[in-house]
């Protein structure tokens, strides 16, 4: 059953009901069935009992807040690099060029797979060294984030096995070395400042977008803000709030998986509206290896339903999508003078 929520000029906006996948449930067929239903319907679902303790989740959120509470000049010392590591200031990301007058009213922090500069693999666009706040500024911060990055990747791989089964593939299809052997896995801490969004004026916490890649895990605090649009082609678009669920990940499918599955599974438009409260979330984006060739999955094509997209290399696809949505780093040179 879906509730109604009054939100001003766009009201009423529904509160969505999403399927909940319990990763500890021994009845894998039931879980895969729920997941498949969600992937065919809206591309969003909850995942619970995923193996990361509530105590540790709380610690990651606490450490995230400590960083965002630092003075701006301290945060700018770890400004986002060309390899997408480090701090992204307010308005840095512009996700909905058509409807936003500015970038997103959020700040963030990227943490990826750490690849040393002297490693030949560091030449790849999403490989590189992480940047960290000085230990004296935030003791233990790096260790907390590295541990969470590692644990979240295991959750993502467990979800990927269920997605494989839902697509009538072998459970370990995405576990192959050439697919998720060396994934592009990006942790992003997010802070939405307490600004009230106004869609009619083009002001958003995060503009409407679908995620670029394979799958995203999202942990949130208890502040409402995330909305989804089940039908991106609808006019007008109908938006639904996603209710925060303590301890759960909200999982959504990205454009790459929609492409991979020949549009059988859907990536879904979503956005964040600020309501005047500070809001914190933690996103974990998982994509295949840089060199993975994303082409129509064998179970997703037939004579009646031939591939809709040509094959494309993962890194080529992801690099273009990031360039399209992030500010040129040269705009920040004055802060580093």
């Amino acid at each position: 059953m879906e509730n109604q929520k009054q939100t001003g000029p766009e009201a009423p906006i529904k509160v969505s009901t999403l399927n909940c996948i319990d990763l500890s449930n021994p009845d894998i067929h039931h879980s895969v069935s729920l997941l498949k239903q969600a992937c065919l319907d809206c591309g969003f679902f909850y995942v619970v009992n995923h193996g990361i303790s509530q105590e540790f989740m709380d610690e990651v959120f606490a450490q995230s807040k400590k960083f965002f509470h630092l003075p701006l000049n301290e945060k700018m010392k770890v400004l986002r690099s060309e390899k997408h590591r480090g701090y992204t200031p307010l308005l840095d990301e512009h996700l909905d060029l058509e409807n936003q007058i500015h970038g997103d009213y959020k700040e963030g922090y990227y943490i990826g797979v750490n690849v040393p500069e002297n490693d030949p693999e560091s030449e790849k666009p999403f490989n590189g060294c992480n940047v960290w706040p000085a230990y004296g500024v935030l003791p233990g911060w790096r260790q907390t984030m590295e541990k969470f990055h590692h644990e979240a990747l295991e959750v993502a791989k467990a979800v990927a096995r269920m997605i494989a089964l839902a697509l009538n593939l072998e459970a370990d299809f995405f576990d192959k070395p050439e697919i998720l052997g060396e994934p592009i896995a990006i942790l992003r801490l997010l802070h939405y400042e307490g600004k009230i969004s106004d869609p009619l004026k083009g002001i958003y916490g995060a503009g409407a977008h679908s995620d670029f890649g394979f799958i995203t895990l999202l942990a949130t605090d208890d502040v409402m803000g995330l909305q989804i649009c089940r039908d991106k082609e609808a006019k007008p678009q109908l938006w639904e709030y996603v209710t925060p669920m303590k301890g759960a990940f909200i999982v959504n499918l990205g454009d790459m998986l929609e492409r991979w599955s020949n549009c059988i599974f859907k990536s879904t438009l979503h956005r964040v509206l600020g309501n005047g409260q500070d809001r914190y979330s933690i996103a974990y984006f998982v994509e295949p290896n840089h060199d993975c060739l994303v082409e129509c999955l064998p179970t997703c094509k037939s004579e009646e339903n031939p591939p809709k997209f040509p094959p494309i290399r993962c890194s080529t696809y992801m690099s273009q999508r990031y360039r399209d949505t992030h500010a040129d780093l040269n705009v920040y040179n004055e802060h580093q003078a």
Side-chain angles (χ1 to χ4, degrees), residues 2-267:
E2 290 169 334
N3 306 313
Q4 301 286 315
K5 186 179 183 70
Q6 293 297 124
T7 59
E10 291 196 335
I13 288 182
K14 295 178 179 178
V15 177
S16 188
T17 302
L18 302 181
N19 285 358
C20 186
I21 316 300
D22 183 347
L23 290 188
S24 69
N25 186 353
D27 187 351
I28 189 72
H29 297 293
H30 176 68
S31 295
V32 169
S33 176
L34 283 176
L35 180 142
K36 184 172 184 176
Q37 183 185 49
C39 293
L40 292 169
D41 175 32
C42 66
F44 270 77
F45 50 91
Y46 298 108
V47 165
V48 297
N49 293 324
H50 42 65
I52 301 180
S53 72
Q54 185 61 54
E55 181 182 15
F56 184 52
M57 294 279 275
D58 291 343
E59 175 63 15
V60 177
F61 271 97
Q63 292 287 359
S64 175
K65 288 180 182 180
K66 284 182 181 178
F67 173 79
F68 290 120
H69 287 169
L70 292 174
L72 180 60
N73 67 333
E74 195 68 46
K75 291 183 284 192
M76 292 300 287
K77 292 177 183 177
V78 285
L79 179 67
R80 168 174 64 88
S81 69
E82 291 182 357
K83 294 298 188 101
H84 298 284
R85 303 292 199 277
Y87 176 61
T88 56
L90 285 173
L91 310 181
D92 178 80
E93 193 170 16
H94 203 157
L95 290 166
D96 185 359
L97 295 172
E98 187 177 333
N99 295 304
Q100 283 180 275
I101 57 169
H102 304 298
D104 294 350
Y105 279 92
K106 69 175 189 288
E107 53 183 344
Y109 198 98
Y110 282 118
I111 300 164
V113 177
N114 196 61
V115 180
E117 287 181 5
N118 58 0
D119 188 322
E121 290 292 305
S122 70
E123 297 300 315
K124 294 178 178 177
F126 291 92
N127 281 350
C129 287
N130 286 318
V131 297
W132 303 103
Y135 186 85
V137 175
L138 291 175
W141 199 86
R142 172 178 178 172
Q143 290 76 12
T144 298
M145 298 308 164
E146 287 181 329
K147 179 182 177 186
F148 184 77
H149 191 288
H150 174 75
E151 293 192 10
L153 181 57
E154 294 310 306
V155 178
K157 287 182 174 180
V159 173
R161 292 181 195 111
M162 297 183 70
I163 289 173
L165 291 171
L167 288 168
N168 299 316
L169 299 163
E170 294 294 324
D172 63 354
F173 180 88
F174 295 113
D175 284 331
K176 293 174 184 174
E178 65 270 26
I179 298 181
L180 287 178
E182 296 179 351
I184 301 170
I186 300 171
L187 169 63
R188 194 175 188 198
L189 311 174
L190 293 164
H191 169 226
Y192 297 85
E193 66 164 22
K195 186 175 183 68
I196 297 175
S197 296
D198 187 344
L200 296 181
K201 294 181 179 177
I203 298 171
Y204 297 86
H209 66 287
S210 52
D211 287 350
F212 311 150
F214 179 42
I215 57 173
T216 304
L217 311 181
L218 180 73
T220 72
D221 62 14
D222 59 1
V223 178
M224 292 277 270
L226 175 65
Q227 296 181 338
I228 63 173
C229 174
R230 292 173 186 257
D231 182 0
K232 51 186 131 184
E233 306 302 328
K235 301 290 181 188
Q237 291 174 337
L238 301 175
W239 292 92
E240 306 171 11
Y241 275 103
V242 175
T243 305
M245 182 184 292
K246 190 170 179 64
F249 281 113
I250 300 165
V251 181
N252 66 282
L253 313 183
D255 296 339
M256 188 183 294
L257 182 54
E258 180 173 302
R259 182 182 182 122
W260 226 340
S261 70
N262 214 20
C263 298
I264 291 173
F265 284 176
K266 305 297 184 187
S267 65

